[in-house]
Every structure is written in structure tokens, then in C-alpha cells.
Amino acid sequence: MGEEQQSRMDAIQQGAENMRGLNLLSDTFASVALQDIGACQYVVRKILGKDDIRIIDVKSQYRLLNLTSKDAILDAFAQDSTGRQINIEIQRRDTVDHARRTRYYGSMIDKSILDKGAEHDELPDVYIIYISETDLWHAGETVYPVNKTLGKSALPYDDGNYVVFVNAAVDDGSEVAKMMQYFKKADPDDMSQGELSKRVHYLKTEKGGYKEMCEVAEKIYDQGEMEKAKKMAISLHESGVAEDIIAKAANVSIDLVKKWLGLSIA
């Protein structure tokens, strides 16, 4: 094994070990943990208070493409047996507009469905579960469902888009709060949270879990290396270097270089 390849392998293994030390308030570790249908279903049922939800598909770090603006990458994107779309987001930063962020996620999910040929009246229910480390609204509650009503009548306004904010800062003694306290520690020896605990235990202590962590670490490493190559390509292009020379320097295809540079591909 060459020195460069060994360096890559060492970085991937170190990345896997680092991820094993994270808790579920890390979007990286949470995305891997919630990729498991049983773990995801456990979290969704607990937060929404719906024990009959049956998750049939989960995608982690799911990219919703947008040709006119930036893409949205969803931490965990699930679908249940009735067609409901459920997005679980982990957010640690307090510097963003959280309400508009959830609005953006919902709009991107709707757009992705409409792009597949659905009519507006065929849009499924969409749930955005937004989990934060801090109490974003400073009202001392663990769970904040967003309720929509019409005027003074308090008549419910149901547009099929539901948002629930959950935080790990407030412990009100509820079952959701207990799960959020587990999120903060993600102790592999704590088996109090059903399928979620089983998944965390597997990822942090078992051989198969370590292999899965390595696969994720490899993707992260390769994405990082690709970003470095892209920055180098742009820098060389600005210095007047030809695209074919850039491609050789970055060890990528010339078509990819042209894509990075926004040039037409023959």
C-alpha cells in the first residue's frame, strides 16, 4: 500500500472513531443512526405521539436538487405507509432563522413531489421535525408544535404541512424529554430508548457498526478531497491554465472541470 493510500485509510479510520464519540445532536451521527427504519420510526412515533406510524423508507443526507438556487440536504427523509413525507433535521446553531428554514425545507419537498408530475391536490402531508440543542423559543417547553388557525375563530387551517420544534435543553419530564436527554449522551450501554438504543449500540460497539461508520467516513473524506480539487481547479482557471491541464492536476475528467467552471460540455 502506497503512502498516499495509507494516509487516506488512516484518515477514514480516525473519522470513523471520531463519529463513534458523537451524540445524536450531531447531524452527522444522527443521519447515520436514523437511516435505520426501526430507529427512525421510534423517534417519529415518540415526537408526533402517533404509535401507528409505520416508516417504510428512510434516506439520510438526502439531497433535493434545485436548478435555480441552492440544493437542500435533509438529515433524514422518511416516508410512512400512508405516503406522509417526514423530514427530521438536527440543528445546533442559533444563528439562523429557524422558522424560515423549516419553510424552505417544506417548499423543497413539495417542489420535488410536483416535479415528479403530481398535481397540487395530490401533495401528501409533510412533517418537519426540527430538533435543536437549545430552546429556540425560550418558552420552557420541550416540544413546540406549530398550530395554524383562522382568525379569531380558532378554526384549524390544515394545509398538510406540519412543523414540530423539539429541543434537548428543557426537561419537562415527558417521554419526548427523556428521549432528548438520551440524544445528548447517546450512551451505547443505555438501552432505554428501544430501537433507537439498539441502533446506537450497534454503531458504537459492534463490528458491523464500525464498518458502517467507516463507509460514512470514507464518503466524507472523498467529498472533502473533491472540494479541495474543485477550489484548486477554479484557482488554476483564474490564473489562465487550460482545462485539460487542470483536469490532469486535479485527477478528474475534463468534463467535471468544465462543470465546476460553469463551461459548456461538448
Side-chain angles (χ1 to χ4, degrees):
M1 181 182 295
E3 184 176 340
E4 185 176 340
Q5 191 174 1
Q6 183 62 55
S7 177
R8 178 177 183 273
M9 186 65 66
D10 290 343
I12 289 170
Q13 290 176 348
Q14 185 60 54
E17 288 295 338
N18 291 344
M19 279 192 287
R20 277 185 148 184
L22 298 174
N23 64 22
L24 287 161
L25 293 173
S26 159
D27 57 356
T28 302
F29 185 69
S31 294
V32 180
L34 297 178
Q35 188 170 296
D36 176 75
I37 286 179
C40 182
Q41 180 172 274
Y42 180 89
V43 171
V44 171
R45 284 179 173 181
K46 188 77 71 175
I47 290 174
L48 298 184
K50 300 176 182 289
D51 291 337
D52 60 341
I53 287 178
R54 186 168 67 86
I55 300 297
I56 60 173
D57 183 51
V58 185
K59 299 179 178 69
S60 66
Q61 291 293 301
Y62 183 63
R63 183 182 293 272
L64 294 174
L65 299 178
N66 190 336
L67 298 179
T68 58
S69 62
K70 67 178 183 178
D71 299 343
I73 300 177
L74 309 183
D75 290 336
F77 186 45
Q79 179 176 323
D80 78 354
S81 57
T82 69
R84 285 179 286 208
Q85 310 290 303
I86 303 167
N87 171 213
I88 302 175
E89 286 300 316
I90 309 293
Q91 181 59 253
R92 302 189 88 152
R93 293 184 297 163
D94 286 336
T95 57
V96 298
D97 187 329
H98 303 285
R100 281 177 172 76
R101 184 175 284 263
T102 59
R103 171 183 165 187
Y104 176 68
Y105 288 137
S107 67
M108 286 293 287
I109 293 170
D110 283 346
K111 182 179 181 302
S112 71
I113 295 167
L114 291 173
D115 285 347
K116 295 175 182 176
E119 298 295 333
H120 293 85
D121 58 359
E122 297 175 317
L123 284 172
D125 288 348
V126 173
Y127 285 79
I128 310 292
I129 297 174
Y130 199 86
I131 299 174
S132 62
E133 188 171 25
T134 60
D135 180 4
L136 301 176
W137 309 108
H138 308 291
E141 298 180 36
T142 301
V143 182
Y144 297 94
V146 176
N147 298 315
K148 302 173 185 178
T149 58
L150 289 165
K152 297 179 181 179
S153 66
L155 288 171
Y157 176 75
D158 187 359
D159 60 359
N161 188 285
Y162 308 97
V163 178
V164 181
F165 290 94
V166 187
N167 72 83
V170 178
D171 186 354
D172 59 10
S174 66
E175 289 300 309
V176 175
K178 291 176 183 177
M179 184 174 71
M180 286 298 100
Q181 297 312 300
Y182 176 81
F183 262 62
K184 290 199 290 188
K185 297 179 181 179
D187 180 354
D189 296 323
D190 179 353
M191 303 304 292
S192 66
Q193 298 300 315
E195 292 298 318
L196 180 61
S197 289
K198 291 179 183 178
R199 176 64 170 168
V200 169
H201 180 84
Y202 170 76
L203 290 173
K204 290 196 171 190
T205 68
E206 298 183 27
K207 185 176 180 179
Y210 178 72
K211 181 181 178 182
E212 196 167 330
M213 290 282 91
C214 283
E215 290 172 355
V216 174
E218 183 175 14
K219 289 179 182 178
I220 293 173
Y221 178 87
D222 289 343
Q223 286 170 0
E225 291 300 299
M226 194 62 70
E227 282 300 314
K228 291 179 185 177
K230 181 178 179 180
K231 289 179 181 178
M232 180 183 71
I234 293 172
S235 178
L236 291 173
H237 176 70
E238 291 173 347
S239 299
V241 179
E243 289 83 30
D244 58 335
I245 303 299
I246 294 173
K248 290 179 181 178
N251 196 28
V252 297
S253 70
I254 192 169
D255 284 348
L256 181 55
V257 168
K258 288 181 176 181
K259 181 179 179 181
W260 284 345
L261 301 176
L263 303 175
S264 60
I265 300 172

